[in-house]
Amino acid sequence: MNRHLLYSTVISAGLLLSACTGGRKAVYESDAYSIFPDRVIQGEFEAIALSPFEISSNYRSPESLSYSPTLQFKFSINSRDNEMPSGKDHKITLQPVDGKVITTVEFGQQLIQTKTLKENENLPENTEWTVQLDLRKMKSAFEQQGFFTLFNGERLSKQDFKGVYIAGSMAPLSWDFSNLYTRNDLELKDPDGDGIYEITLIMNSKRDIKTSPDKWKLSKDLSGLSQYQSDYLISDAIYNLSLEEMLMAIEPDSTFRTGKEWAGVWTRDISYSIILSMAHMQPEVAKKSLMRKVKNNRIVQDTGTGGAYPVSTDRMVWAIAAWELFKVTGDHEWMKYAYEIIKNSIEDDLLNAYNPETGLMKGESSFLDWREQTYPVWMQPADIFQSENLGTNAVHYQANKVLSAMANLLEKTAEAARYDSIALSIKTAIQQNMWMKDKGHHGQYLYGRSHLILSPRSETLGEALCILFGITEGEDIQQAVAAMPVTPFGASCIYPQIPGIPPYHNNGIWPFVQSYWALASAKAGNEAAVMEQIAAIYRPTALFLTNKENFVAETGDFAGTQINSSIMLWSLSGNIALVHKILFGMAFEVDKLIFNPLVPKALKGKRTLKNFRYRDAVLNIELEGFGNQISLFEIDGVASKPEVPATLEGEHHIRIVLANKNDTYKEINKVKNEFTIEMPIVSQQDNQLIWEPVKNANSYHIFRNGKIIDTITKTSYQINPGTYAAYQVIAVDESGTSSFASEPLIVISENKKITLQMEKFASSSGYPYSGFNGTGFAEISKSKNRIITLPVTAGENGTYLLHIRYANGNGPINTDSRCALRNLYVNNQFAGALIFPQRGKGEWSNWGYSNIISVQLAKGQNKLSIVFEENNENMDGEINQAMLDEAVIYQ
């Protein structure tokens, strides 16, 4: 694409620009910021390392320096983005009189009351804004019909109405729709019951200003930890800051806290942190933290959409962390303990989440678990389960490789072969289904419902894991590192960004992801990419004086993302990994510690790492030079291979001299931070697909059952109902960049569809829920209707598609662990797992569809069985419940 600048960066002329500031030479310089041996400079802001144990910074978030009177806002029923289409918001310029503003809005009717502002015009502090929301139409609909129809056609039942909130662009407002139910301060009330809801907010309050400290000074004793010293004071200070924050993250019970704002141990956070550096920095704390995430002898999936597991399945990263810990410690009892847990978890996943048609594992993007942040807004939790993500599949691949390696050590040869074969199958499927040869990297995920389409967005963590785990091989490694988009402040989680979605995963940069990308770049031998990522990590750490969770890709600022935390465990772990695993090139194996350094020429010189503990040895390491070729490796003055055996004991001196050869790969794909165009909203009118023109769209791709069938410029398309067809439309701009695919629209003749009412085949529930089809619905739980048998008559042999209309009000869409799941059998043969994710806390009249399963039916009578079995245990363990309305089968 012509707006992407792919260039070859020569270190001496590019990254090592001769920018002189007070006699100091920049080690990294870009239009956005510069890094010097003792400081970071970004415009008017500067962070200076005063010593290895002290940094000062004058950084101030631009958000704290201004507060625009013009803002965007929206109303949310039941903590959903359901007032108007995504991206369509109310816009207002607050003009206070005597410090007050009153605004009246009718729900669903866009309000635009803006005016041109003067330069640097700010809203007066502590402006009192009263918002009155007219919901009388909803009140009337509840009284007359028992439900209110939202803009997207969804019916909200009276009994499912839990509250209405205000979301928006300026504090104290937030665009975090999913968590609005936790914000009592943003809930509107109707005390007199007249249908007019009201809230009064204090705008531009000092308490909402996000600030960062102006100085860090070491306050903890680091003498028991590995000591790093180099010719670059800023690097030394950041390393020590990260060590101190590591100690601060250890809880009194000797487990790791996830972040300053995030209490407790979280499976993916602790696992990614252990893989980066916590396995060797804090092995006992790491071990206890991993053990905290085990239940029923299986790995806990503690976060994820729709009730966690199996909508999210990236809990398997625990296996990779457990293996890293074993390689560091050599603790065979730990390995035996972990083996059974990993095996049980993988076997469950093979039943619950494996797609035999693609060879990939289903489930949400690893760590990118905030629905609309990385998925199109139409995707329900069941759709996210149905998707097949790059990073999550890389994790599943490596988990199976780990289990195979453990089985070999335990002399379980048959099991070792089984899991190695599964891993190979996943690896092959990733390369066949997700590698984009024309772009030089993988796609983000396969998504849809019955038929999947590859999203061409890049996904940085997933791409890094593919390189590090050996899924990407040979020249493809160098090509992927050279091709992956890198924005001015780092490699964003995904690229391009999604329009109309506030920064967090979307339009966000996460330092721990930068660390994984740096490790992948080092494996590729790409010196320029490594330096780019080191800079992208050092800049925010030095300016913000902490290891932040994330920052905005567009601005590089820590304020502006939806949620953020300081002292973030995986961020600090990644910072430490830059020194240990890249500059010193350490890699732990079962029986040795390998050294394969990569030092960018910009960071050439001498560095030491003292008091580094490896099993029963204490290593004092000297490293000099640059590049990634070792010319001398000595242990206690004796030349050796660049490795330390696991049997080494006592204190030893290691000297490494690099060859100072500047012949590494240097291509990186520096791009502007850009957004795709909007997704078409498609509907059916008679025998046509129709949609409104998408701004800046040059053409539209028409998809039928996941395959492109036409490219047009008009905004309608003729269709002919017959057998099952799922149509989608993608908008494409003049550069060739595409939008998300529209929601699949099923087109089928009525005689090709079979509907089975559940209450005819299982006892009808007595719950007073509404909105169901037929005469009732059936409850499934661990004690009720553990088996439901459905007789089906098929007109001919063939492949059919099946899903279940259901309700699950056991929790909100974004948290908790009460996703219901059941096995489906067709004529006594296992066909797959049916997934019934949570759809809203207490929203039992909110009906939606499960995942779609492809089934083989014979002509005549067939038997479908919906069964609760051992692999169907969810993460809650007690509540595994849903209401089933009807089964729909398509030919």
Side-chain angles (χ1 to χ4, degrees):
M1 291 177 283
N2 59 17
R3 72 174 186 276
H4 288 183
L5 177 61
L6 179 65
Y7 65 94
S8 177
T9 303
V10 180
I11 295 293
S12 60
L15 292 177
L16 188 57
L17 293 174
S18 296
C20 295
T21 304
R24 298 177 304 276
K25 196 174 186 180
V27 299
Y28 172 87
E29 189 169 59
S30 72
D31 291 339
Y33 64 95
S34 301
I35 295 181
F36 296 85
D38 67 340
R39 67 193 62 204
V40 174
I41 298 176
Q42 180 183 321
E44 62 185 297
F45 303 122
E46 186 174 49
I48 305 173
L50 304 175
S51 78
F53 312 109
E54 187 174 2
I55 308 173
S56 67
S57 173
N58 67 353
Y59 186 83
R60 294 294 178 268
S61 167
E63 285 205 357
S64 70
L65 303 176
S66 64
Y67 194 107
S68 174
T70 299
L71 58 91
Q72 296 166 269
F73 68 101
K74 206 169 190 177
F75 299 102
S76 164
I77 294 176
N78 291 358
S79 205
R80 305 265 181 86
D81 184 3
N82 54 11
E83 185 193 6
M84 297 179 290
S86 179
K88 184 176 182 180
D89 308 319
H90 304 294
K91 300 175 184 178
I92 189 170
T93 301
L94 299 180
Q95 301 176 66
V97 177
D98 296 329
K100 298 181 180 181
V101 180
I102 298 176
T103 303
T104 301
V105 188
E106 181 180 351
F107 186 85
Q109 299 299 309
Q110 187 180 31
L111 172 74
I112 299 180
Q113 291 181 355
T114 59
K115 72 162 208 172
T116 303
L117 299 176
K118 299 175 183 177
E119 187 176 355
N120 299 322
E121 183 176 350
N122 286 313
L123 182 71
E125 285 188 12
N126 299 317
T127 293
E128 188 177 291
W129 184 30
T130 298
V131 182
Q132 297 171 337
L133 173 63
D134 186 349
L135 270 173
R136 287 177 294 184
K137 286 184 179 179
M138 182 188 75
K139 183 174 183 291
S140 176
F142 282 165
E143 292 170 352
Q144 295 178 25
Q145 304 168 159
F147 64 87
F148 175 62
T149 303
L150 298 163
F151 81 92
N152 55 8
E154 287 186 7
R155 289 184 174 184
L156 172 71
S157 73
K158 181 178 181 179
Q159 62 198 29
D160 278 357
F161 176 71
K162 306 302 178 185
V164 60
Y165 303 84
I166 184 169
S169 59
M170 303 295 287
L173 303 181
S174 165
W175 288 119
D176 182 8
F177 287 96
S178 297
N179 285 303
L180 285 175
Y181 71 96
T182 67
R183 295 286 304 273
N184 294 332
D185 59 319
L186 298 181
E187 183 176 6
L188 290 83
K189 298 291 186 181
D190 179 19
D192 58 8
D194 64 354
I196 305 296
Y197 287 72
E198 188 172 301
I199 191 171
T200 298
L201 302 162
I202 304 301
M203 309 301 287
N204 197 13
S205 168
K206 286 186 177 180
R207 68 183 181 185
D208 293 323
I209 296 174
K210 297 178 180 179
T211 61
S212 57
D214 56 14
K215 182 173 287 189
W216 166 77
K217 189 172 184 178
L218 181 66
S219 61
K220 289 189 175 290
D221 180 8
L222 306 181
S223 60
L225 302 172
S226 53
Q227 307 292 309
Y228 173 63
Q229 187 174 358
S230 71
D231 298 333
Y232 304 89
L233 196 58
I234 193 70
S235 177
D236 299 357
I238 287 172
Y239 177 82
N240 289 325
L241 180 153
S242 299
L243 289 186
E244 179 174 67
E245 292 198 332
M246 175 189 70
L247 297 178
M248 295 167 68
I250 300 174
E251 299 278 40
D253 65 355
S254 295
T255 62
F256 275 119
R257 184 182 182 91
T258 299
K260 183 179 179 181
E261 305 299 329
W262 309 120
V265 181
W266 293 7
T267 303
R268 70 170 65 94
D269 295 63
I270 187 61
S271 299
Y272 281 119
S273 301
I274 286 170
I275 297 164
L276 285 167
S277 62
M278 289 303 103
H280 66 268
M281 291 300 295
Q282 295 289 337
E284 284 303 312
V285 180
K287 180 179 175 181
K288 288 182 179 179
S289 298
L290 286 176
M291 292 173 71
R292 185 67 59 84
K293 306 314 296 181
V294 175
K295 182 179 180 180
N296 193 28
N297 213 26
R298 286 161 171 79
I299 304 165
V300 172
Q301 181 76 47
D302 49 12
T303 62
T305 294
Y309 184 80
V311 177
S312 282
T313 62
D314 71 335
R315 61 177 180 158
M316 295 312 306
V317 71
W318 187 100
I320 307 167
W323 180 242
E324 183 75 6
L325 187 58
F326 168 66
K327 290 189 295 181
V328 167
T329 63
D331 184 346
H332 279 257
E333 290 304 312
W334 164 254
M335 190 263 291
K336 291 177 185 177
Y337 167 80
Y339 177 82
E340 293 301 326
I341 293 165
I342 298 167
K343 179 183 175 182
N344 292 337
S345 303
I346 281 180
E347 291 298 335
D348 284 351
D349 287 353
L350 290 171
L351 292 172
N352 294 329
Y354 178 66
N355 183 356
E357 294 182 9
T358 62
L360 295 168
M361 302 299 294
K362 302 175 185 178
E364 193 162 31
S365 303
S366 184
F367 115 87
L368 303 174
D369 63 342
W370 188 337
R371 195 167 57 133
E372 62 272 17
Q373 281 286 326
T374 48
Y375 291 91
V377 294
W378 58 261
M379 287 184 73
Q380 297 295 307
D383 300 323
I384 292 175
F385 163 77
Q386 195 86 334
S387 67
E388 297 166 5
N389 169 258
L390 178 66
T392 299
N393 272 277
V395 165
H396 281 284
Y397 163 80
Q398 189 67 2
N400 277 276
K401 291 293 287 185
V402 162
L403 192 58
S404 177
M406 288 181 170
N408 273 321
L409 291 173
L410 295 170
E411 299 182 347
K412 299 176 183 284
T413 54
E415 292 184 4
R418 166 174 162 75
Y419 296 114
D420 190 62
S421 175
I422 293 169
L424 178 60
S425 174
I426 295 172
K427 175 180 178 177
T428 302
I430 290 173
Q431 296 304 93
Q432 288 180 346
N433 291 285
M434 305 188 81
W435 177 257
M436 301 182 296
K437 189 173 182 179
D438 59 326
K439 293 182 179 294
H441 60 78
H442 295 89
Q444 178 185 14
Y445 48 60
L446 296 164
Y447 69 117
R449 283 189 179 139
S450 56
H451 300 81
L452 304 181
I453 296 171
L454 179 64
S455 168
R457 277 185 169 85
S458 63
E459 193 234 302
T460 305
L461 179 61
E463 199 69 48
L465 296 181
C466 284
I467 293 170
L468 293 171
F469 297 157
I471 296 167
T472 306
E473 296 180 301
E475 293 181 357
D476 286 348
I477 295 176
Q478 286 78 32
Q479 184 179 5
V481 172
M484 278 288 286
V486 180
T487 68
F489 290 104
S492 56
C493 296
I494 60 171
Y495 188 90
Q497 316 305 333
I498 305 170
I501 301 297
Y504 186 59
H505 295 138
N506 184 60
N507 195 16
I509 294 175
W510 291 57
F512 97 93
V513 175
Q514 307 308 292
S515 297
Y516 275 97
W517 189 242
L519 289 166
S521 300
K523 184 175 179 180
N526 191 317
E527 180 180 347
V530 169
M531 189 64 219
E532 189 79 21
Q533 297 315 303
I534 291 175
I537 293 167
Y538 280 0
R539 180 201 69 86
T541 311
L543 290 174
F544 309 155
L545 296 176
T546 185
N547 285 281
K548 282 287 188 184
E549 180 179 8
N550 52 57
F551 52 89
V552 181
E554 189 78 9
T555 64
D557 188 25
F558 68 87
T561 61
Q562 294 303 285
I563 306 172
N564 210 337
S565 178
S566 301
I567 316 178
M568 201 65 188
L569 182 64
W570 51 15
S571 300
L572 69 90
S573 300
N575 228 321
I576 294 168
L578 295 182
V579 173
H580 294 177
K581 292 195 169 183
I582 294 180
L583 297 180
F584 283 87
M586 295 183 189
F588 296 90
E589 298 296 339
V590 171
D591 58 352
K592 58 192 170 186
L593 171 61
I594 296 172
F595 291 82
N596 185 22
L598 192 158
V599 177
K601 187 176 181 182
L603 298 177
K604 66 181 180 180
K606 294 184 177 181
R607 46 185 41 86
T608 61
L609 188 65
K610 297 181 179 179
N611 196 36
F612 185 87
R613 298 181 180 276
Y614 172 56
R615 298 197 185 180
D616 294 325
V618 177
L619 309 178
N620 297 308
I621 309 165
E622 287 184 38
L623 173 65
E624 61 181 273
F626 67 88
N628 64 349
Q629 297 181 35
I630 297 174
S631 63
L632 177 67
F633 187 93
E634 293 179 339
I635 301 178
D636 298 327
V638 178
S640 168
K641 292 193 296 183
E643 60 187 46
V644 172
T647 54
L648 193 68
E649 298 180 357
E651 189 168 350
H652 298 273
H653 179 80
I654 293 175
R655 182 168 177 248
I656 308 171
V657 178
L658 298 178
N660 291 342
K661 289 188 177 180
N662 192 25
D663 56 358
T664 57
Y665 293 94
K666 300 174 183 68
E667 288 187 347
I668 51 178
N669 184 18
K670 293 275 282 193
V671 298
K672 295 178 181 179
N673 188 49
E674 297 202 359
F675 295 74
T676 66
I677 56 179
E678 294 280 358
M679 174 187 71
I681 307 299
V682 181
S683 60
Q684 182 180 354
Q685 188 177 86
D686 298 325
N687 286 339
Q688 279 197 327
L689 305 178
I690 59 170
W691 59 95
E692 292 294 321
V694 174
K695 184 179 180 181
N696 295 326
N698 194 53
S699 61
Y700 302 93
H701 292 325
I702 312 299
F703 285 77
R704 183 180 185 273
N705 292 343
K707 304 294 183 183
I708 187 168
I709 60 171
D710 208 345
T711 299
I712 62 176
T713 56
K714 59 184 181 179
T715 57
S716 63
Y717 190 78
Q718 188 74 27
I719 55 174
N720 296 302
T723 56
Y724 177 95
Y727 286 93
Q728 294 174 273
V729 179
I730 288 177
V732 183
D733 67 19
E734 64 179 0
S735 72
T737 302
S738 58
S739 72
F740 274 134
S742 63
E743 181 173 9
L745 197 154
I746 295 175
V747 178
I748 188 170
S749 298
E750 282 302 311
N751 64 352
K752 299 293 184 181
K753 184 168 71 171
I754 302 169
T755 302
L756 303 172
Q757 296 300 326
M758 285 293 176
E759 69 274 13
K760 293 182 179 180
F761 306 99
S763 56
S764 183
S765 171
Y767 289 113
Y769 307 145
S770 62
F772 53 86
N773 295 330
T775 60
F777 52 89
E779 177 187 3
I780 57 169
S781 69
K782 293 182 72 171
S783 61
K784 295 181 180 179
N785 291 316
R786 288 173 65 96
I787 301 176
I788 298 178
T789 301
L790 307 174
V792 180
T793 301
E796 57 186 86
N797 295 333
T799 301
Y800 293 73
L801 299 170
L802 174 147
H803 61 176
I804 308 289
R805 191 169 189 257
Y806 80 99
N808 182 347
N810 280 311
I813 285 180
N814 63 321
T815 62
D816 288 347
S817 54
R818 294 171 177 173
C819 176
L821 57 158
R822 297 293 184 272
N823 287 340
L824 174 68
Y825 288 85
V826 177
N827 298 324
N828 300 318
Q829 297 295 312
F830 178 75
L834 287 164
I835 310 303
F836 309 107
Q838 297 164 187
R839 294 183 57 81
K841 189 173 183 178
E843 295 184 41
W844 287 103
S845 296
N846 179 349
W847 301 90
Y849 285 95
S850 72
N851 57 309
I852 290 181
I853 296 181
S854 176
V855 298
Q856 297 297 317
L857 298 182
K859 182 178 181 179
Q861 282 292 315
N862 297 267
K863 183 178 75 171
L864 306 183
S865 301
I866 300 170
V867 185
F868 179 79
E869 295 184 297
E870 184 180 7
N871 65 286
N872 300 138
E873 289 284 0
N874 61 18
M875 293 298 113
D876 182 82
E878 297 297 327
I879 298 176
N880 197 321
Q881 175 194 36
M883 306 300 150
L884 306 188
D885 182 23
E886 60 187 18
V888 184
I889 303 169
Y890 305 100
Q891 183 179 354

